Structure formats: structure tokens, C-alpha cells
Amino acid sequence: MYSHFFKRLIDFTLAIIGIIIFSPVFSVITVVLFFINGGKAFFMQERPGRNGKSFYMVKFKTMNDHCDSKGALLPDHKRLTAFGRFVRSTSLDEIPQLINVIKGDMALIGPRPLLVQYLPLYNERQARRHEVRPGITGWAQINGRNTISWQQKFEYDVWYVEHISFLLDLKILFLTVKKVFIREGISSDTSATMEEFKGN
């Protein structure tokens, strides 16, 4: 009953409240990023949602579009701006995803939506992460976020799918707030973001 009805109702209600509460911060960050990134404050990318159905996830744009001499984008760590690094380290870049939650593309808690091109790379068990709506935060995020391996991340995602409950979501929510305050697990050991998943 919770996962099929009450979870969505709670997500929608809290997302509306969150948008209202964070509207001043949202406005300030939007203006700053607009000027820093040459008129681009938001980053939108196609991601797979529940049952693999695609949607466009929106985040604050924390990296610029600088390219090398051949026209290829520079590595993430070279495109991450100083203000962008602050926004990411405080997880403020996730605020726009509340819009995705309101629309029903995402949930507050669930496996993080990854790239569409990863879909054919999952094994049968890993693909179970798409049985529920992807989340702004999840069980994998409070257990290492970008510092754990892909295999560990997927195991945490599937474990969540198999044990989803109101109390578990509440636990993840509170632990996420704790992680945000201590700014833990933002980057992997070798990259400003998580390395590309290349299959099992």
C-alpha cells in the first residue's frame, strides 16, 4: 500500500513544500549560474525512470562547456566551476529535481537515475533498480554515494527495491541530511563525478 499509493502522495506534498521553502535559494543560485555559465543555469539530461521510461532530469548546471582544441569537452574536474563545486558539495544542485518529483518522474527516495546508455549494460538483477521511481537520494547515496563501486551501488539499489517501506525512506531522508551537512561522498577517488559504467 505504501509503495503504490502513500509514497507518491508524500513525495508530491513534500516536494511542493520544498519548492516553497527553497525558492529564495533557488532564485539566487539560478541568477549566479546564469551569469557564470553564459546564460545557462540549468542542466537537463534524458534519464531512465520507472520501468526504463525516459524523462528529462533537471539540475543546476555546475560545470561549464569549455572544450579542448579539438572541440571535445574537457574532463569534468576541469569544467567544474568554483561556485559549481560549492553547489555540488552542499547538494544544492539537486533542488530543481523537486520539479521532477512533482511531475511524477522521480521520487524523493529511490535509486538514482543514471544514463540511458547504461540500460543494455545491466544484468538481470541490476535492472531491478528500475522497478521503482528513481530518487533524489537513496540507499546507495547514504552508503557511499560516488565513492563506492558500481557493483556495490547496484546492490544497494536492488536491496532498496526489495525492502522499500515508510520507515526505511524516513531513515534514508534523515541520513541524507546528515551526509549533506558533513559533505561526505560527493566525489569518487579519481573523478569529480562518478566514473562511467562500462558493464559488468
Side-chain angles (χ1 to χ4, degrees), residues 4-105:
H4 294 290
F5 177 73
F6 287 110
K7 180 176 173 65
R8 172 61 188 148
L9 180 62
I10 293 171
D11 283 343
F12 181 82
T13 303
L14 292 181
I16 290 290
I17 295 172
I19 285 288
I20 295 172
I21 292 175
F22 288 111
S23 57
V25 177
F26 186 97
S27 300
V28 171
I29 294 177
T30 299
V31 171
V32 174
L33 290 177
F34 180 85
F35 287 105
I36 289 178
N37 296 325
K40 298 178 181 179
F42 300 100
F43 170 77
M44 297 185 67
Q45 188 175 56
E46 186 179 10
R47 298 290 177 96
R50 189 176 186 181
N51 299 320
K53 182 180 178 181
S54 295
F55 70 97
Y56 281 90
M57 185 183 74
V58 57
K59 297 179 69 173
F60 280 126
K61 187 175 176 61
T62 57
M63 292 186 286
N64 57 44
D65 296 322
H66 293 173
C67 301
D68 60 22
S69 58
K70 297 180 180 179
L73 286 173
L74 293 173
D76 289 351
H77 69 278
K78 291 186 177 181
R79 295 189 296 117
L80 185 62
T81 63
F83 185 73
R85 184 176 290 105
F86 165 76
V87 172
R88 285 194 73 248
S89 68
T90 53
S91 294
L92 292 173
D93 60 322
E94 313 286 359
I95 293 178
Q97 288 171 62
L98 291 173
I99 298 172
N100 289 122
V101 175
I102 293 172
K103 290 173 59 183
D105 299 326

Side-chain angles (χ1 to χ4, degrees), residues 117-186:
Q117 56 262 39
Y118 292 172
L119 286 174
L121 302 179
Y122 301 135
N123 60 36
E124 185 176 351
R125 177 169 174 77
Q126 291 168 348
R128 293 198 61 200
R129 68 193 309 278
H130 294 294
E131 292 179 10
V132 298
R133 286 186 179 88
I136 294 179
T137 186
W139 188 237
Q141 277 58 53
I142 64 168
N143 283 287
R145 195 172 175 177
N146 288 332
T147 62
I148 59 177
S149 70
W150 281 112
Q151 285 68 33
Q152 288 175 306
K153 188 188 296 286
F154 294 144
E155 278 301 313
Y156 284 133
D157 288 343
V158 176
W159 186 91
Y160 172 80
V161 171
E162 295 173 340
H163 296 84
I164 186 171
S165 69
F166 173 72
L167 289 180
L168 178 58
D169 278 0
L170 199 60
K171 177 180 180 179
I172 293 172
L173 186 61
F174 279 112
L175 289 177
T176 296
V177 173
K178 177 184 175 182
K179 292 278 185 180
V180 169
F181 274 109
I182 62 178
R183 302 187 186 185
E184 182 178 86
I186 303 299

